[in-house]
Amino acid sequence: MDCLFCKIIEGSIPSKKAYEDDKIFAFYDIAPQAPVHILVIPKTHIASMDEVNTDNADVVAHIFTKIPEIAKAAGIVNGYRVVSNCGDDACQTVKHLHFHILGGTQLKGEMC
Ligand code: 5GP
Ligand code: ZN
């Protein structure tokens, strides 16, 4: 499958790792939009939030249990935002489910 984030998981495209276990991978965004900008992804290919269902929801739950740990390990101390862009209207550019962790500064109040 020609998926950028699957290639990052397998290591054929390099990335700066923030966290990894048997189910998920976290790495620093190549074009950070905050002082700390990490992407957290499932190791199984799920195209977007729109593809989450009862069969694959466990890995999404696992991601959410690990996000506080990943944020803390990255040095975020005063709060952060978690974002998942889904589909064209949300400007999803990589069609492999990912959660942005944005922090390390006072973020803007508006969401869009
Ligand atoms: P989206 O716009 O789909 O929500 O987020 C995709 C994110 O992937 C963007 O923030 C973009 O900067 C990041 N990205 C795209 N290509 C690469 C890459 O090759 N390496 C890393 N680390 N991040 C990437
Ligand atoms: Zn993929």
Side-chain angles (χ1 to χ4, degrees), residues 53-108:
N53 55 47
T54 51
D55 291 335
N56 61 23
D58 282 3
V59 73
V60 179
H62 183 64
I63 285 172
F64 276 83
T65 65
K66 289 295 175 185
I67 280 175
E69 182 183 314
I70 294 165
K72 191 174 179 184
I76 296 176
V77 293
N78 202 37
Y80 53 89
R81 183 170 291 154
V82 178
V83 175
S84 187
N85 296 319
C86 176
D88 292 341
D89 276 4
C91 304
Q92 182 183 3
T93 58
V94 180
K95 308 303 190 207
H96 181 126
L97 178 64
H98 52 283
F99 295 91
H100 298 256
I101 303 174
L102 298 150
T105 191
Q106 175 66 62
L107 301 171
K108 292 178 185 152

Side-chain angles (χ1 to χ4, degrees), residues 4-5 8 13-15 27-31 33 37 39 85 91-94 98 100:
L4 176 66
F5 286 177
I8 283 178
I13 292 177
S15 66
F27 56 104
Y28 285 84
D29 198 291
I30 203 167
Q33 295 186 38
H37 186 171
L39 302 171
N85 296 319
C91 304
Q92 182 183 3
T93 58
V94 180
H98 52 283
H100 298 256

Side-chain angles (χ1 to χ4, degrees), residues 33-50:
Q33 295 186 38
V36 180
H37 186 171
I38 292 171
L39 302 171
V40 190
I41 63 178
K43 286 190 170 177
T44 50
H45 182 87
I46 301 170
S48 75
M49 273 303 300
D50 230 19

